[in-house]
Amino acid sequence: QKLALDAVKAGGADRIAKVVDRLTSFVSLSPTMCSLHLPGMYKMMNMEGVTDQVMEQAMDRIADGILSVVATLRTLPVIRCPSGQASQMVAQKLHARLSKLLKES
């Protein structure tokens, strides 16, 4: 929505051929790099006193972002991570989302 508003304000809306908003939880301005644009996420995840609900929401946002990248690249990753850490929670959420996406298609 913000992209569309900015395009109209800049007078470039007539040059946009198509906008697709499915699985767009990342930004890529280069063919070799992307960002989930989650500033402060690492700090928040390592702070004391973070509630389980906040941590769960953070893991969901990260998994959704990675899923967006993977789906856009049309790849199916091999997911490996250390056990017992936040990365394992993200990996499990990503695995569940990938499985659901594959079943739907």
Side-chain angles (χ1 to χ4, degrees), residues 23-41 61-62 64-69 72:
L23 300 172
T24 56
S25 298
F26 73 100
V27 174
S28 179
L29 300 176
S30 160
T32 59
M33 186 170 54
C34 69
S35 171
L36 301 182
H37 192 63
L38 300 172
M41 182 65 71
R61 288 189 65 199
I62 294 168
D64 288 341
I66 296 171
L67 177 65
S68 294
V69 172
T72 299

Side-chain angles (χ1 to χ4, degrees), residues 22-23 64 66-72 74-77 93-105:
R22 184 169 184 227
L23 300 172
D64 288 341
I66 296 171
L67 177 65
S68 294
V69 172
V70 168
T72 299
R74 294 183 178 203
T75 61
L76 190 58
K93 288 179 175 292
L94 178 59
H95 175 76
R97 284 165 170 76
L98 284 167
S99 296
K100 182 180 176 186
L101 188 64
L102 289 171
K103 287 177 185 176
E104 291 174 354
S105 58

